[in-house]
Amino acid sequence: MAGANGNGLHAPLLDEKNASGDGPGRGPAGAGAASLEDVPVDFAHDGFGTIEGVRVPLIPRVPPQSKLIRDEILHVKIQDSVVRQTRVILSRDLIGFGAEHDPTMTVMADHIPLEEIQAAYEVEGDRELVEIITLSEGYNSGRIYQIRTTHDSPGWTKDLVQLSVSARDRKTSKYLAFKTALATVYDSNPTQVFIIFMIVVNFFLVVVEVQIQPRLGSQLQKNFSTLDILFSFVFVVDLICNIIAHWFKKFVKNPWNLFDFIIVGCAIVASWDIENLEFLQSARAFRVFRLAGKMKHLRRIINAIASSIVPMLNAFLIGLILLLTLSVLGTDFFGSVDDFGFGTMFRTVYTLFLALALGEWDVLPVIPEDEDASVDWGALVFNILVVVILLWIAVNVVVTILLDKFVQATINDDNIEQALDLLEAQAANIMTGGVDPLIEEVLKLFDCSEQLSRGFKMLFHNFDYDQQGLLDFTKVSQGLKKIQVPRHILLTEEDWDVLTEKGTVCNADGTVTLDQWDRIMRQQVKAYVQRDLTDVAAMKFHIIENYHILVSLRLLMDTEPGPKLDEIDVYCDDMHDSLTEFEATGIDDMVRRIESASIAILRAHGTAVPTTMARGSVPQRPSDQPPTVPVNIFPDLAQGVPPPRPPVDPSYD
């Protein structure tokens, strides 16, 4: 297939100047362009802590080596960018391009989903030059890629075409469309309500049949058998639809789906009347537990019980040890008195179990009822130990663990519901800049301000695919489409106006440098936190303490310092010099507090602290020196600085 003409991409991919594949890659020599030469190699694709835990990184990573079909170092040109030599990998699902300045060799600067390749062919007259055209509305926004292969790596075009056709067939297959439609219908509320209704009716009929006990071969027994077969058929169809709609991982990872599979499977086997498997007929009684997989509140209780099994087993183990210990004591002390209840170890265990579980305390050795008889202090102490250790402590520990797990499960479910409510509140916000999904992930990932800057630098260089040192609306919108966040980002021009504050924080041509990009994103982080505080405060208005704390934080974040920072520096220095002559009676504490607050403000804004303040002390005037009137330290400024304080009365001592 011949390449298209007139797009400037079919000129020789490598000229003499770029033959090595490491061209300059710098943009215009304007003062606003970020210099890529100044980028620290180790930090070019580092930031946000995206490798921590199992969280998906913002920038896609190279697939495992076992999934790679091709992995070579080739010369690549993306759209109208400069030619560069980089790692090119080919897998079953994508073709990826390694990131520069990445010593880990794990970051992909860009990749193309194979199903979105519109055409891939060798350029006419140059069989080693492969051109890839992507979908204009797809992941790569219609970018055109050129790859120069070598004599040592033939077959790139053939493999690329075959894999892209296979990927496209998988994405557009009729089975996938049917599976998606079936999942939509199966997960809908009417379908789930119908299944719940069938489970409840089936359980009611099972209870009635067991109560009536119809005679074998009677018409009533045949009717119950017919209804059982009908319900079994409905549940089989339900299971098959669930498997098709959610196969494979989503189905297997849900334990309730596995429970459904076992119960329905037992019902099918029981219907075959296989000898020695009649007991499986009783499995139909467990069908009602399938409601837990359909009803949220019932599932919460079952999940709480399931999550408490391991802690309860530990408590049961402690209780068993205590029970056996008391059983040994009971057998030794009372075996000769009561051979039936305490003659052996196992009889003693059974006796204590009856007392604890059924309340049969008369089986324990008791104090004689005859007033003239002497008190058996050993029996008394043993009874007290049984009650305190087993009944009051061991049993209550198990109950406490169960309640604790239930409370935790309830809190977790409430947190999930509140998170969904917060997402709805965020979706209702307007004029946000359109990058909330990215900021949400950034807040989860970065640990410090330095890492935040490195992370924004990472995004900058990932979006700047042509290495011009500048970003514009097109680059940012295309780059945000490729960021791996839970909610897809589609940036509009209105969002770009919000980000750049209608062009006030960008260059005249609408581009932004690395420093401008960092300021824009930091402002978005602050705005996102402010909006979240407002939304959460609205959700917590009924908890008055939390509400006022959140509102106060919101107001504090929205407060900007009044005077300019350099003027604050001057004021603090002059304040210290003018107050050094005051009497050190009472006013020292005020001066120190003013200095401490000023130092905190200066350090928070990265301003140097005056050396006179850093000493942290106020010089004392000699005792023989008369007090003087302080100098006015607040000169008139255009910024509206507070008026000067009245002079102190000279007679003050």
Short mmCIF file of all heavy atoms in Angstrom, two decimals, residues 480-508:
data_model
loop_
_atom_site.label_atom_id
_atom_site.label_comp_id
_atom_site.label_asym_id
_atom_site.label_seq_id
_atom_site.Cartn_x
_atom_site.Cartn_y
_atom_site.Cartn_z
N LEU A 480 -4.28 13.44 28.30
CA LEU A 480 -5.18 13.05 29.38
C LEU A 480 -6.04 11.85 29.01
O LEU A 480 -6.47 11.09 29.88
CB LEU A 480 -6.07 14.24 29.77
CG LEU A 480 -5.38 15.39 30.50
CD1 LEU A 480 -6.34 16.55 30.70
CD2 LEU A 480 -4.83 14.92 31.84
N LYS A 481 -6.30 11.67 27.72
CA LYS A 481 -7.04 10.49 27.28
C LYS A 481 -6.29 9.20 27.57
O LYS A 481 -6.88 8.13 27.71
CB LYS A 481 -7.35 10.58 25.78
CG LYS A 481 -8.41 11.60 25.42
CD LYS A 481 -8.48 11.81 23.92
CE LYS A 481 -8.80 10.56 23.18
NZ LYS A 481 -8.95 10.79 21.72
N LYS A 482 -4.95 9.29 27.68
CA LYS A 482 -4.13 8.10 27.86
C LYS A 482 -3.79 7.83 29.32
O LYS A 482 -3.21 6.79 29.62
CB LYS A 482 -2.83 8.25 27.06
CG LYS A 482 -3.05 8.43 25.57
CD LYS A 482 -1.73 8.48 24.83
CE LYS A 482 -1.93 8.59 23.33
NZ LYS A 482 -0.68 8.50 22.58
N ILE A 483 -4.14 8.75 30.20
CA ILE A 483 -3.83 8.55 31.61
C ILE A 483 -4.74 7.45 32.17
O ILE A 483 -5.94 7.42 31.92
CB ILE A 483 -4.02 9.86 32.40
CG1 ILE A 483 -3.00 10.90 31.93
CG2 ILE A 483 -3.86 9.62 33.88
CD1 ILE A 483 -1.57 10.49 32.18
N GLN A 484 -4.15 6.55 32.95
CA GLN A 484 -4.90 5.43 33.51
C GLN A 484 -5.56 5.85 34.82
O GLN A 484 -5.00 5.72 35.90
CB GLN A 484 -3.97 4.23 33.73
CG GLN A 484 -3.37 3.70 32.45
CD GLN A 484 -2.57 2.43 32.65
OE1 GLN A 484 -2.78 1.43 31.99
NE2 GLN A 484 -1.64 2.45 33.58
N VAL A 485 -6.77 6.38 34.70
CA VAL A 485 -7.57 6.78 35.85
C VAL A 485 -8.92 6.08 35.76
O VAL A 485 -9.34 5.67 34.67
CB VAL A 485 -7.76 8.32 35.89
CG1 VAL A 485 -6.45 9.00 36.20
CG2 VAL A 485 -8.32 8.85 34.58
N PRO A 486 -9.62 5.93 36.90
CA PRO A 486 -10.89 5.20 36.87
C PRO A 486 -11.93 5.82 35.94
O PRO A 486 -12.71 5.09 35.31
CB PRO A 486 -11.36 5.24 38.33
CG PRO A 486 -10.11 5.42 39.12
CD PRO A 486 -9.21 6.26 38.26
N ARG A 487 -11.94 7.15 35.87
CA ARG A 487 -12.92 7.82 35.00
C ARG A 487 -12.18 8.48 33.83
O ARG A 487 -11.22 9.21 34.03
CB ARG A 487 -13.70 8.88 35.81
CG ARG A 487 -14.65 8.28 36.83
CD ARG A 487 -15.30 9.38 37.64
NE ARG A 487 -14.35 10.03 38.54
CZ ARG A 487 -14.54 11.24 39.06
NH1 ARG A 487 -15.61 11.93 38.77
NH2 ARG A 487 -13.63 11.75 39.87
N HIS A 488 -12.68 8.23 32.64
CA HIS A 488 -12.02 8.74 31.43
C HIS A 488 -12.08 10.26 31.39
O HIS A 488 -13.10 10.86 31.75
CB HIS A 488 -12.71 8.16 30.20
CG HIS A 488 -11.88 8.24 28.96
ND1 HIS A 488 -10.57 7.79 28.89
CD2 HIS A 488 -12.16 8.73 27.73
CE1 HIS A 488 -10.10 7.99 27.69
NE2 HIS A 488 -11.05 8.57 26.96
N ILE A 489 -11.01 10.90 30.96
CA ILE A 489 -10.93 12.36 30.90
C ILE A 489 -11.01 12.81 29.44
O ILE A 489 -10.19 12.41 28.61
CB ILE A 489 -9.62 12.87 31.53
CG1 ILE A 489 -9.51 12.42 32.98
CG2 ILE A 489 -9.55 14.39 31.45
CD1 ILE A 489 -8.21 12.83 33.66
N LEU A 490 -11.99 13.62 29.15
CA LEU A 490 -12.14 14.24 27.83
C LEU A 490 -12.11 15.76 28.04
O LEU A 490 -13.12 16.36 28.44
CB LEU A 490 -13.45 13.80 27.16
CG LEU A 490 -13.54 12.32 26.77
CD1 LEU A 490 -14.92 12.01 26.19
CD2 LEU A 490 -12.46 11.98 25.74
N LEU A 491 -10.97 16.35 27.81
CA LEU A 491 -10.78 17.78 28.05
C LEU A 491 -11.40 18.58 26.91
O LEU A 491 -11.19 18.28 25.73
CB LEU A 491 -9.29 18.09 28.18
CG LEU A 491 -8.93 19.45 28.75
CD1 LEU A 491 -9.24 19.49 30.24
CD2 LEU A 491 -7.46 19.77 28.52
N THR A 492 -12.16 19.61 27.26
CA THR A 492 -12.75 20.51 26.28
C THR A 492 -12.02 21.85 26.28
O THR A 492 -11.22 22.13 27.19
CB THR A 492 -14.24 20.74 26.58
OG1 THR A 492 -14.37 21.41 27.85
CG2 THR A 492 -14.99 19.40 26.63
N GLU A 493 -12.30 22.67 25.29
CA GLU A 493 -11.67 23.99 25.24
C GLU A 493 -12.12 24.87 26.41
O GLU A 493 -11.37 25.71 26.89
CB GLU A 493 -11.99 24.66 23.90
CG GLU A 493 -11.36 23.95 22.71
CD GLU A 493 -11.56 24.71 21.41
OE1 GLU A 493 -12.19 25.79 21.46
OE2 GLU A 493 -11.09 24.25 20.36
N GLU A 494 -13.37 24.67 26.85
CA GLU A 494 -13.83 25.41 28.03
C GLU A 494 -13.03 25.01 29.26
O GLU A 494 -12.68 25.87 30.09
CB GLU A 494 -15.33 25.16 28.26
CG GLU A 494 -16.26 25.78 27.23
CD GLU A 494 -16.29 24.98 25.94
OE1 GLU A 494 -15.73 23.85 25.91
OE2 GLU A 494 -16.86 25.47 24.94
N ASP A 495 -12.73 23.71 29.37
CA ASP A 495 -11.90 23.26 30.49
C ASP A 495 -10.50 23.87 30.41
O ASP A 495 -9.92 24.24 31.44
CB ASP A 495 -11.80 21.73 30.49
CG ASP A 495 -13.12 21.05 30.77
OD1 ASP A 495 -13.94 21.64 31.49
OD2 ASP A 495 -13.33 19.93 30.25
N TRP A 496 -9.96 23.96 29.20
CA TRP A 496 -8.63 24.55 29.04
C TRP A 496 -8.63 26.02 29.44
O TRP A 496 -7.66 26.51 30.03
CB TRP A 496 -8.17 24.39 27.59
CG TRP A 496 -6.79 24.90 27.32
CD1 TRP A 496 -6.44 25.98 26.56
CD2 TRP A 496 -5.56 24.35 27.80
NE1 TRP A 496 -5.08 26.14 26.53
CE2 TRP A 496 -4.50 25.15 27.29
CE3 TRP A 496 -5.24 23.27 28.61
CZ2 TRP A 496 -3.18 24.89 27.57
CZ3 TRP A 496 -3.90 23.01 28.89
CH2 TRP A 496 -2.89 23.82 28.37
N ASP A 497 -9.72 26.73 29.15
CA ASP A 497 -9.82 28.13 29.59
C ASP A 497 -9.83 28.23 31.11
O ASP A 497 -9.25 29.16 31.69
CB ASP A 497 -11.10 28.76 29.01
CG ASP A 497 -11.00 29.01 27.51
OD1 ASP A 497 -9.86 29.07 27.00
OD2 ASP A 497 -12.05 29.12 26.85
N VAL A 498 -10.50 27.26 31.75
CA VAL A 498 -10.51 27.26 33.22
C VAL A 498 -9.11 26.98 33.77
O VAL A 498 -8.65 27.63 34.71
CB VAL A 498 -11.53 26.23 33.74
CG1 VAL A 498 -11.44 26.11 35.26
CG2 VAL A 498 -12.95 26.62 33.33
N LEU A 499 -8.42 26.02 33.17
CA LEU A 499 -7.08 25.67 33.65
C LEU A 499 -6.12 26.83 33.49
O LEU A 499 -5.30 27.10 34.38
CB LEU A 499 -6.56 24.44 32.89
CG LEU A 499 -7.29 23.11 33.11
CD1 LEU A 499 -6.69 22.03 32.22
CD2 LEU A 499 -7.20 22.69 34.57
N THR A 500 -6.17 27.51 32.36
CA THR A 500 -5.25 28.61 32.10
C THR A 500 -5.79 29.95 32.56
O THR A 500 -5.17 30.99 32.30
CB THR A 500 -4.93 28.69 30.60
OG1 THR A 500 -6.16 28.89 29.87
CG2 THR A 500 -4.27 27.40 30.13
N GLU A 501 -6.95 29.92 33.26
CA GLU A 501 -7.58 31.15 33.74
C GLU A 501 -7.75 32.14 32.61
O GLU A 501 -7.36 33.31 32.69
CB GLU A 501 -6.78 31.73 34.90
CG GLU A 501 -6.66 30.81 36.09
CD GLU A 501 -5.85 31.39 37.22
OE1 GLU A 501 -5.58 32.62 37.17
OE2 GLU A 501 -5.50 30.64 38.15
N LYS A 502 -8.34 31.63 31.51
CA LYS A 502 -8.63 32.43 30.30
C LYS A 502 -7.37 33.07 29.73
O LYS A 502 -7.38 34.22 29.28
CB LYS A 502 -9.69 33.48 30.60
CG LYS A 502 -11.04 32.88 30.96
CD LYS A 502 -12.11 33.96 31.14
CE LYS A 502 -13.47 33.32 31.44
NZ LYS A 502 -14.53 34.32 31.61
N GLY A 503 -6.29 32.29 29.75
CA GLY A 503 -5.06 32.73 29.12
C GLY A 503 -4.15 33.56 29.97
O GLY A 503 -3.08 33.99 29.50
N THR A 504 -4.49 33.77 31.24
CA THR A 504 -3.65 34.63 32.09
C THR A 504 -2.43 33.90 32.64
O THR A 504 -1.48 34.56 33.07
CB THR A 504 -4.48 35.20 33.25
OG1 THR A 504 -5.00 34.11 34.02
CG2 THR A 504 -5.62 36.05 32.72
N VAL A 505 -2.45 32.58 32.66
CA VAL A 505 -1.31 31.84 33.20
C VAL A 505 -0.62 31.02 32.12
O VAL A 505 0.06 30.04 32.42
CB VAL A 505 -1.77 30.91 34.35
CG1 VAL A 505 -2.26 31.72 35.52
CG2 VAL A 505 -2.84 29.94 33.88
N CYS A 506 -0.78 31.40 30.87
CA CYS A 506 -0.10 30.71 29.78
C CYS A 506 0.51 31.75 28.85
O CYS A 506 0.31 32.96 29.02
CB CYS A 506 -1.07 29.80 29.01
SG CYS A 506 -2.39 30.66 28.14
N ASN A 507 1.25 31.31 27.86
CA ASN A 507 1.85 32.21 26.89
C ASN A 507 0.78 32.78 25.96
O ASN A 507 -0.36 32.33 25.94
CB ASN A 507 2.92 31.47 26.08
CG ASN A 507 4.03 30.93 26.98
OD1 ASN A 507 4.38 31.55 27.99
ND2 ASN A 507 4.57 29.77 26.62
N ALA A 508 1.19 33.77 25.18
CA ALA A 508 0.24 34.43 24.30
C ALA A 508 -0.33 33.49 23.25
O ALA A 508 -1.48 33.66 22.81
CB ALA A 508 0.92 35.63 23.61
#
